[in-house]
Amino acid sequence: MKSISKDIFKKYQAQTFPYPSLLEVEIAEGSYITDVYGKKYLDFIAGVSSCSIGHSNMNVINAVKDQIDKYSHVMVYGEYIQKPQYTLAKLLAENLPEKLSTTYFTNSGTEAIEGAVKLAKRINGRSEIISCKNSYHGSTHGSLSLMGNEQYKAQYRPLLPDCNQIIYNDIKSLEQISEKTSAVIIESIQGASGFIIASKDFLKKLNSICKKNKVLIIFDEIQTCFGRTGTLFGFEQTPIIPDIICIAKGMGGGMPIGAFISSWKNMNELTYNPKLGHITTFGGHPVNCAASKATLEFILEKKIITEIEKKEKLFRKHLQHKKIKTITGKGLMLSIDLYDDHHTYQLVDNCMSDGLLLFYFLFNKKSVRITPPLTISLSEIEMGCSIILKNLNKLN
Ligand SMILES: Cc1ncc(COP(=O)(O)O)c(C=O)c1O
């Protein structure tokens, strides 16, 4: 098999990162990616939490094929009745609390965030959106305005006005929330900062302050959905039932789709004055909705979630080493925290040479991400951990 020239890749395909790993993919199946040279990699990244039920899952493939044989794109979002969309929306509602009954499908996570923030403004007519320091909600201008890291924002200012930040897990900073605030957006496990879990006390206080001031709570479940942390959605492990949730990544089983979900009454705000409150051409693409429905059904029918805790425990049991400071996160959203930035890069590089894919965090240079497919087997976990331990031993 001939490799595509790295020079052609770098010249014609826009790059935003100076040191991509340049793995040239030939095929991906289950928990493995094989490159064009025939080298097989155990995948502990899963497309950054996206390939939740393994690569090339047959249920997803068949759903995609069945749908594409019938029709692909037919019309902009919401105009025609398309079975893959409404059946997925219904299945989501059946697996969510009553106040999260109505789904708007988008193309991506960041578009779901944009839609959710617009919706919040329509619901209560306020403009302030509060997010958390070190949060990541996407890369379009609205989502970027919410991002909790100035380094990635400074060059793109001016951004959205009235976006302010609180400190994640800092109860005192919740005092910033007021009756001027439209919504607080939060991740139940902060992704880009290295899988930090929101404390119950912090969330309880957040809930009560928001209730008191009639402020909406938006949960960014883009990385935690479907099942990654041991429940279908992350909020199920918190004291909060959000007013709006945003989902994407793992909901597509490897296909691109996102959604924001709220009550029917709230969503109705987008239908008048002005109508067409959020417009998307390809959002809720029928092929991707079919893939997402197959993904959710697979997770529910095969009871994938019941295995997550056992798999987390196995990771934690094996990943004990003097070079590891701690393991943070929940379920199959785990972070190995090291003492030294250089160790992070060495570990990821050396594990890749040994056939194991690990990845970094956007805002945390001392940690290494582990987000394998939820379908990973116990023996694959053991194999991957032994590669990690071997390479931790080599670090100086
Ligand atoms: C928590 C969170 N929110 C939002 C996004 C943005 O999603 P997308 O890349 O699909 O736009 C991501 C992507 O990594 C994410 O992890």
Side-chain angles (χ1 to χ4, degrees), residues 140-384:
T140 52
H141 263 84
S143 304
L144 191 63
S145 307
L146 310 173
M147 188 197 275
N149 184 301
E150 186 54 27
Q151 190 196 338
Y152 290 93
K153 293 164 75 164
Q155 300 293 338
Y156 301 103
R157 289 192 178 282
L159 291 166
L160 274 188
D162 260 356
C163 291
N164 295 311
Q165 279 164 12
I166 53 175
I167 300 169
Y168 198 70
N169 278 339
D170 180 287
I171 289 179
K172 184 106 185 72
S173 80
L174 293 170
E175 286 168 12
Q176 278 187 63
I177 299 167
S178 73
E179 61 206 6
K180 294 205 180 95
T181 311
S182 172
V184 174
I185 181 161
I186 189 155
E187 301 156 87
S188 61
I189 299 186
Q190 225 181 27
S193 58
F195 297 159
I196 314 294
I197 300 175
S199 78
K200 289 245 161 29
D201 286 348
F202 177 72
L203 291 175
K204 268 190 198 148
K205 190 75 186 161
L206 170 73
N207 205 23
S208 67
I209 293 187
C210 287
K211 281 222 162 78
K212 187 173 140 229
N213 292 291
K214 296 194 167 41
V215 173
L216 298 158
I217 300 182
I218 305 172
F219 261 48
D220 179 341
E221 296 264 8
I222 286 165
Q223 211 169 147
T224 45
C225 82
F226 293 154
R228 184 154 288 281
T229 64
T231 45
L232 212 45
F233 303 94
F235 76 81
E236 294 171 57
Q237 296 174 45
T238 76
I240 298 179
I241 298 179
D243 300 288
I244 306 171
I245 63 168
C246 297
I247 57 176
K249 282 189 176 276
M251 78 177 281
M255 297 295 279
I257 182 166
F260 57 103
I261 306 177
S262 191
S263 66
W264 186 90
K265 183 169 175 283
N266 286 344
M267 283 295 188
N268 196 45
E269 295 288 333
L270 297 177
T271 65
Y272 64 94
N273 191 25
K275 52 187 181 293
L276 297 169
H278 189 71
I279 302 175
T280 179
T281 297
F282 286 125
H285 192 287
V287 172
N288 301 341
C289 282
S292 179
K293 182 164 167 278
T295 302
L296 184 48
E297 283 169 345
F298 183 90
I299 289 173
L300 296 171
E301 280 159 23
K302 304 268 179 214
K303 303 202 183 321
I304 300 292
I305 289 173
T306 58
E307 298 286 300
I308 302 295
E309 195 181 338
K310 187 169 32 163
K311 291 177 180 179
E312 174 186 354
K313 280 193 177 139
L314 194 60
F315 269 113
R316 287 185 182 275
K317 179 177 150 209
H318 285 288
L319 292 177
Q320 301 201 23
H321 192 279
K322 63 177 186 307
K323 297 259 166 51
I324 297 180
K325 194 170 165 192
T326 178
I327 306 274
T328 59
K330 184 94 209 317
L332 292 179
M333 196 169 165
L334 297 173
S335 162
I336 307 176
D337 297 350
L338 303 173
Y339 289 94
D340 187 324
D341 295 13
H342 297 296
H343 284 170
T344 314
Y345 299 109
Q346 279 174 31
L347 183 65
V348 173
D349 274 6
N350 295 341
C351 283
M352 188 169 167
S353 304
D354 281 350
L356 174 71
L357 300 174
L358 299 170
F359 207 49
Y360 306 103
F361 289 101
L362 198 54
F363 308 146
N364 177 345
K365 305 291 173 235
K366 285 195 172 54
S367 299
V368 174
R369 142 196 295 273
I370 298 183
T371 51
L374 308 184
T375 45
I376 193 158
S377 70
L378 300 181
S379 60
E380 286 165 345
I381 292 175
E382 283 175 342
M383 193 200 317

Side-chain angles (χ1 to χ4, degrees), residues 48 108-111 113 136-139 187 191 220 222-223 248-249:
V48 190
S108 64
T110 197
E111 191 195 354
I113 299 285
Y136 179 80
H137 298 291
S139 198
E187 301 156 87
D220 179 341
I222 286 165
Q223 211 169 147
K249 282 189 176 276

